[in-house]
Amino acid sequence: MNKLMNAKEYEESLRKLKLKVYMFGKRVENVVDDPIIRPSMNAVAATYEYAHKPEHEDIMTATSHLTGKKINRFTHIHQGVDDLVKKSKMGRLLGSQTACCFQRCVGMDALNALSITTHAIDEKYGTEYNKRFLKYLGYVQENDLTCDGAMTDPKGNRSLSPAKQFDPDLFMHVVEERPDGIVVSGAKAHQTGAVNSHEVIVMPTITMREEDRDYAISFALPSDAEGITYIMGRQSCDTRKLEGLTFDRGNMFYGGHEALVVFDRVFVPWERVFMYKEYDFSTMLVEHFAAYHRQSYACKVGVGDVLIGAAQTIAEYNGAERASHVKDKIIEMNHLNETLFCGCIACAAEGHREPSGTYQNDLLLANVHKQNVTRFPYEIARIAQDIAGGLMVTCPSAADLASPEVGKWVEKYYRTRDDVPTEHRLRILRLIENITMGTAAVGYLTESMHGAGSPQAQRIMIARLVNMKHKQKAAKELCGIEKGDQVS
Ligand code: SF4
Ligand code: FE
């Protein structure tokens, strides 16, 4: 029977994992209850909780093409344009409810890209990767698992290919082949949601050539497989989470995380290997995954919704909401945010069916969308900081507001209106601080820049995918250089 886990069941399922996690130089014994990690677990838990809300069921759940049963959309293989559009709406919905990275999209995008690529490899080489993959997918859907889609290798010297690096482990590679499987070594960097995942799905990070055959591998492992170590990434202001539930954390409930995931001679059984030295399919896997994940940046539209709401609120608290320049700035924020939404809906609406039956979003429009994401959240954040004013970074702590000695001064001098408690003003400022320069800025800003590929990666794809000949032909015909079908 398929289960549709709820938040509590998800949390309990994580407690069963034996992850080897390090943070601040020490082993984290209780990952789920760690105060710094827990908000990120809460954010993934929201992907489970919302699947149980009747008003969001249509967006958050789907029908498995394998079993016909209801599943969480994060484990679904897109069966039509409608599924792709709902995926974008799901991203915005969850972004607007958590105001951070909810981490589960990467695995969904890896599953969909592999459904296409394993099918294509089999067509060319007569292999059985797709059969293996579908069996694995059935297991993921059946148990409603969260998968970490692991693509980004450390990459070492950028001017050298994987096989030419001074240290072979700088790209994930096979170190031993056994009758029952392979042994791999390497690492994946910046892994979103890694320690909140049940599974890790590894993919190559760039186009591989023949000399890189040992690096052209894709496979899945349980996240607590022997030989995997997680080293947590730091975030700006992360230790505020150690101060208890004070409003200084800005977002009281949710957060994201990234980690460096090290694979030290890890065994992978053959049934979990989905690409093995077929270097000529690495580009396909990378590009399809990238297009899906660039669409997934619908999440930033949801976070933008929260930031715009916060900017409007602080403008009202400050008594500045009727100033024409403030109104115009809010309009600009909305314009930019909805333009982002246009992009992730458009690349979904222009999706097409691949030979495997999976629907792929439009690659060109997905890249254009992600290129906008590398810019617009920064501008939205700039305007939010403009409207918020300097107090966002100079206001005293929640403890000062609560202090029997100085609390009355903070209360008195940071009060703007008699109908707005000072605490409310400070809370909304801390939220803006969190999204634009605190822990959530990792997801809203830097990840918008570099996640799913840095800006230049999209520009290369845009240059490759636009139909320049078609544009030139139209121009040349209309000015009479070439003959076309025009009426005379
Ligand atoms: Fe999903 Fe957005 Fe986080 Fe990427 S950044 S995993 S798309 S929520
Ligand atoms: Fe990402």
Side-chain angles (χ1 to χ4, degrees):
M1 200 197 79
N2 273 56
K3 58 175 157 183
L4 208 52
M5 274 202 278
N6 61 29
K8 202 78 215 139
E9 289 164 338
Y10 165 65
E11 181 180 332
E12 291 315 313
S13 70
L14 290 184
R15 288 186 193 284
K16 296 191 188 117
L17 299 175
K18 307 253 175 304
L19 301 180
K20 199 169 161 199
V21 181
Y22 283 81
M23 188 165 58
F24 300 125
K26 291 197 184 75
R27 176 96 185 248
V28 180
E29 297 300 340
N30 181 348
V31 178
V32 172
D33 296 311
D34 183 273
I36 288 190
I37 299 173
R38 189 161 179 100
S40 72
M41 193 278 290
N42 288 341
V44 182
T47 71
Y48 288 92
E49 204 53 37
Y50 274 72
H52 289 272
K53 292 186 190 287
E55 66 274 32
H56 300 305
E57 187 187 2
D58 186 44
I59 285 179
M60 292 298 308
T61 65
T63 303
S64 166
H65 76 295
L66 296 178
T67 62
K69 291 178 187 163
K70 187 162 115 175
I71 53 171
N72 191 300
R73 186 171 294 285
F74 281 100
T75 67
H76 184 50
I77 298 299
H78 315 301
Q79 297 299 300
V81 161
D82 188 49
D83 275 338
L84 289 168
V85 170
K86 283 177 180 163
K87 178 195 156 188
S88 287
K89 292 184 176 176
M90 176 172 75
R92 183 175 192 170
L93 170 71
L94 289 167
S96 71
Q97 300 306 304
T98 60
C100 69
C101 167
F102 41 86
Q103 308 146 55
R104 207 176 167 189
C105 330
V106 211
M108 165 179 61
D109 297 334
L111 291 171
N112 276 275
L114 274 168
S115 77
I116 294 169
T117 311
T118 52
H119 185 273
I121 302 175
D122 292 353
E123 289 283 288
K124 181 167 177 188
Y125 291 115
T127 40
E128 292 204 332
Y129 293 119
N130 193 245
K131 204 165 104 189
R132 279 183 199 169
F133 169 75
L134 291 177
K135 191 159 172 243
Y136 175 71
L137 176 70
Y139 166 71
V140 169
Q141 290 186 345
E142 180 93 19
N143 295 286
D144 199 4
L145 301 178
T146 288
C147 304
D148 166 21
M151 178 164 275
T152 310
D153 292 81
K155 296 201 284 280
N157 184 335
R158 275 31 178 194
S159 67
L160 299 176
S161 66
K164 298 223 166 77
Q165 297 288 334
F166 77 96
D167 180 344
D169 294 344
L170 289 169
F171 284 81
M172 183 77 70
H173 63 127
V174 56
V175 291
E176 192 187 332
E177 187 180 315
R178 294 182 188 165
D180 50 349
I182 57 174
V183 179
V184 298
S185 276
K188 293 288 178 179
H190 328 300
Q191 288 311 295
T192 296
V195 309
N196 293 328
S197 301
H198 307 99
E199 290 278 321
V200 52
I201 302 174
V202 170
M203 299 163 283
T205 194
I206 51 167
T207 294
M208 303 284 175
R209 303 189 202 108
E210 191 169 0
E211 65 191 36
D212 306 319
R213 291 172 84 244
D214 289 351
Y215 298 82
I217 50 175
S218 178
F219 55 85
L221 284 167
S223 53
D224 58 356
E226 185 71 34
I228 300 182
T229 304
Y230 300 84
I231 308 165
M232 295 292 292
R234 281 215 77 165
Q235 297 175 335
S236 171
C237 308
D238 49 7
T239 48
R240 285 196 197 180
K241 290 173 187 158
L242 300 175
E243 296 168 11
L245 259 186
T246 78
F247 64 73
D248 283 351
R249 57 168 69 197
N251 186 329
M252 302 296 288
F253 309 101
Y254 302 110
H257 79 245
E258 269 79 24
L260 172 66
V261 187
V262 178
F263 296 70
D264 185 19
R265 295 193 60 87
V266 183
F267 174 72
V268 190
W270 283 119
E271 64 264 26
R272 279 170 164 263
V273 177
F274 308 131
M275 174 190 280
Y276 186 62
K277 302 191 179 184
E278 291 85 5
Y279 62 91
D280 45 337
F281 283 89
S282 56
T283 309
M284 181 185 210
L285 184 51
V286 170
E287 286 185 1
H288 284 255
F289 171 79
Y292 279 132
H293 201 47
R294 287 166 193 176
Q295 176 201 359
S296 286
Y297 278 46
C299 64
K300 309 303 178 208
V301 185
V303 182
D305 287 331
V306 177
L307 189 53
I308 293 166
Q312 176 68 29
T313 304
I314 193 62
E316 291 173 9
Y317 286 180
N318 289 346
E321 78 279 15
R322 280 193 290 277
S324 63
H325 74 97
V326 171
K327 281 191 197 161
D328 195 55
K329 282 166 183 161
I330 298 281
I331 291 169
E332 179 67 7
M333 293 171 94
N334 277 308
H335 167 71
L336 292 168
N337 206 44
E338 298 304 331
T339 304
L340 291 181
F341 193 51
C342 293
C344 57
I345 290 293
C347 71
E350 287 290 294
H352 64 272
R353 190 178 189 275
E354 291 281 336
S356 68
T358 307
Y359 270 70
Q360 174 76 50
N361 58 328
D362 184 84
L363 265 63
L364 173 60
L365 296 185
N367 279 279
V368 169
H369 167 59
K370 175 67 208 331
Q371 181 79 183
N372 287 337
V373 171
T374 66
R375 300 172 180 176
F376 296 178
Y378 283 86
E379 180 61 9
I380 294 170
R382 189 188 69 78
I383 302 172
Q385 291 195 348
D386 177 356
I387 294 173
L391 188 60
M392 179 188 74
V393 290
T394 63
C395 65
S397 67
D400 289 312
L401 182 64
S403 156
E405 286 84 34
V406 296
K408 62 183 181 210
W409 301 123
V410 178
E411 172 69 37
K412 177 182 169 75
Y413 288 111
Y414 287 133
R415 189 81 179 241
T416 45
R417 298 164 30 159
D418 54 357
D419 60 339
V420 178
T422 299
E423 185 184 319
H424 289 190
R425 187 172 176 227
L426 299 188
R427 277 182 182 270
I428 205 78
L429 287 169
R430 287 296 185 208
L431 180 64
I432 296 171
E433 179 197 34
N434 176 256
I435 298 173
T436 63
M437 55 199 305
T439 51
V442 176
Y444 189 56
L445 299 180
T446 319
E447 190 167 15
S448 288
M449 177 75 80
H450 293 294
S454 304
Q456 191 58 20
Q458 290 114 54
R459 299 184 81 78
I460 291 166
M461 288 301 288
I462 291 168
R464 252 183 49 203
L465 292 168
V466 289
N467 189 342
M468 192 55 79
K469 287 221 157 42
H470 177 77
K471 295 176 201 295
Q472 286 186 289
K473 182 169 177 284
K476 286 179 181 174
E477 284 178 5
L478 283 165
C479 69
I481 295 174
E482 283 177 10
K483 199 169 152 23
D485 296 331
Q486 284 75 28
V487 288
S488 59

